[in-house]
Amino acid sequence: MTQQASGLSPDRPARTFEVRTYGCQMNVHDSERLAGLLEEAGYRRAGAGTDADIVVFNTCAVRENADNKLYGNLSHLAPRKQSDPDMQIAVGGCLAQKDRDSVLQKAPWVDVVFGTHNIGSLPALLDRARHNRAAQVEIAEALREFPSSLPASRESSYAAWVSISVGCNNTCTFCIVPSLRGKEVDRRPGDVLAEVQSLVDQGVLEITLLGQNVNAYGVSFVDADQPRDRGAFAKLLRACGRIDGLERVRFTSPHPAEFTDDVIEAMAETPNVCPTLHMPLQSGSDRVLRAMRRSYRAERYLGIIDRVRAAIPHAAITTDIIVGFPGETEEDFQATLDVVAAARFSTAFTFQYSKRPGTPAAELADQVPKAVVSERYQRLIALQEGISLTENTAQIGRRVEVLVATGEGRKDAATARMSGRARDGRLVHFAPGPAGHGIRPGDVVVTTVTGAAPHHLIADGAPLQHRRTRAGDAHEAGRKPRTGVGLGMPAIGVPPAAPATSGCAR
């Protein structure tokens, strides 16, 4: 889209944008695509601390306070919109897909509402709203084109998300995602690998394969000529291992019911697949798992953990747990504590159950009182914090390879520690040593762990090795990888949105 098609004239500076993201890694990656679309359409990112001409909210509908957070932030922009009618506000993502027309009822100053299936329509909708001086709402009911076929402006020079599927075929009673993102659709393996290769060619060292149910990959290929293949995910991991220059491969999130031994073997036998696994538990009670429609039980879950640790002894295993699901008894909760104690997770992402309209669990009887949920939650946190500290303390004295990162934060200003991630995903705050000024995000250092806390490791000795990388070069030069065009599958289903009518405002 040219500058003129975007409502800009050649003698005026490009309009600026800001994308505000809520929710999961899928949303973070979708926001990279939204940024890529807007940059391709002639807009530019707003500078830090400046007011953007366009503010895009990429929303989440999973948590109970998601609505309040969005509408609170929208209300803060209302006075600015009133004083500057040319400023535009767009709301997309899962909450937009769910709430549809009610977004404009609650916040009539919003210009564009778009859903999870048509993020590629955003530039045209902004243009149309500006030309018609009227809000535009477009919520597609089915996937129009695989999102990875859209341009993406990546946030990092050294690590990148790569979607291998969208949607989910599961029917967990607490989750609203399948109704908002649709049934699972898998990309062709060749398209996934082409995107990974493109990222590596631009300096990226680490990729994370993304899917709502990532290890189900291969059961729902969109192409009629691509047969169902339950072993496709393990094959994809091994194929990533053959990409020269790709140093780290991660994936999230698998489902225990479909986690097979061929995946464990591929993880153990592929050197660049990191020794880490995020495996959602949700509950340790078989009765609650049944009510959640989670098609595995505690014994099977722990069996997977045992097999992973047998094949990859130093694997760091993390999980998700929901406390206070409707009908959860003290006995059920104790079963969760028992599984947590047995599994020895390095980290657990714990959530207090929140009722989400539109999910089967919201209609269940025996909603657990909030005070009971809170008390159980604190007990779970205390147990897991102790386990995390013990597991991290066991790392003291070990050498770790750290991919230096931005955005992880320094441990404190007094020590000037830098931060990064070990191969197993643990956060490491390390002393850069006398030559620390030469260590850049994207570089790799090897250091020895000297201390631990529940959520990070400390390495206060001078690095044993420092390797300058192409990713570090790219970060230093301010280069971010771009992907999208020609790397996804062709448009499917409904054709793309028609462009705005001619004669748009200049």
Side-chain angles (χ1 to χ4, degrees), residues 35 238 253 273 350 367 384 447:
R238 292 182 185 276
S253 287
V273 174
T350 53
Q367 300 284 326
Q384 182 57 52
T447 187

Side-chain angles (χ1 to χ4, degrees), residues 138-277:
E138 185 174 284
I139 306 291
E141 297 297 336
L143 191 67
R144 286 185 166 172
E145 56 188 332
F146 202 95
S148 293
S149 67
L150 303 172
S153 178
R154 305 289 180 149
E155 292 294 327
S156 168
S157 300
Y158 48 85
W161 311 104
V162 175
S163 289
I164 68 171
S165 65
V166 295
C168 181
N169 293 338
N170 292 317
T171 57
C172 301
T173 56
F174 57 82
C175 185
I176 198 169
V177 169
S179 66
L180 302 179
R181 294 219 176 234
K183 292 291 186 180
E184 180 175 333
V185 179
D186 299 330
R187 293 175 75 188
R188 291 185 297 245
D191 288 337
V192 174
L193 295 171
E195 182 174 356
V196 173
Q197 184 67 65
S198 173
L199 289 163
V200 172
D201 289 344
Q202 296 175 75
V204 168
L205 301 181
E206 175 181 299
I207 60 103
T208 300
L209 303 174
L210 282 181
Q212 300 291 160
N213 185 5
V214 71
N215 57 318
Y217 178 74
V219 303
S220 303
F221 285 120
V222 71
D223 294 339
D225 62 349
Q226 196 80 41
R228 179 185 177 97
D229 182 1
R230 295 303 297 260
F233 185 62
K235 293 174 185 175
L236 185 64
L237 289 178
R238 292 182 185 276
C240 287
R242 295 191 288 270
I243 295 179
D244 187 39
L246 178 59
E247 299 190 12
R248 297 186 176 191
V249 178
R250 307 186 190 276
F251 58 89
T252 193
S253 287
H255 194 292
E258 300 181 73
F259 203 82
T260 50
D261 286 347
D262 64 335
V263 173
I264 298 174
E265 292 165 4
M267 292 174 64
E269 295 169 6
T270 309
N272 64 357
V273 174
C274 292
T276 182
L277 174 66

Side-chain angles (χ1 to χ4, degrees), residues 422-436:
R423 289 186 60 81
D424 65 5
R426 286 182 168 94
L427 175 62
V428 182
H429 299 300
F430 67 94

Side-chain angles (χ1 to χ4, degrees), residues 301-317:
Y301 184 94
L302 288 172
I304 294 171
I305 301 303
D306 289 343
R307 294 198 300 279
V308 169
R309 288 207 167 109
I312 314 167
H314 298 303
I317 299 176

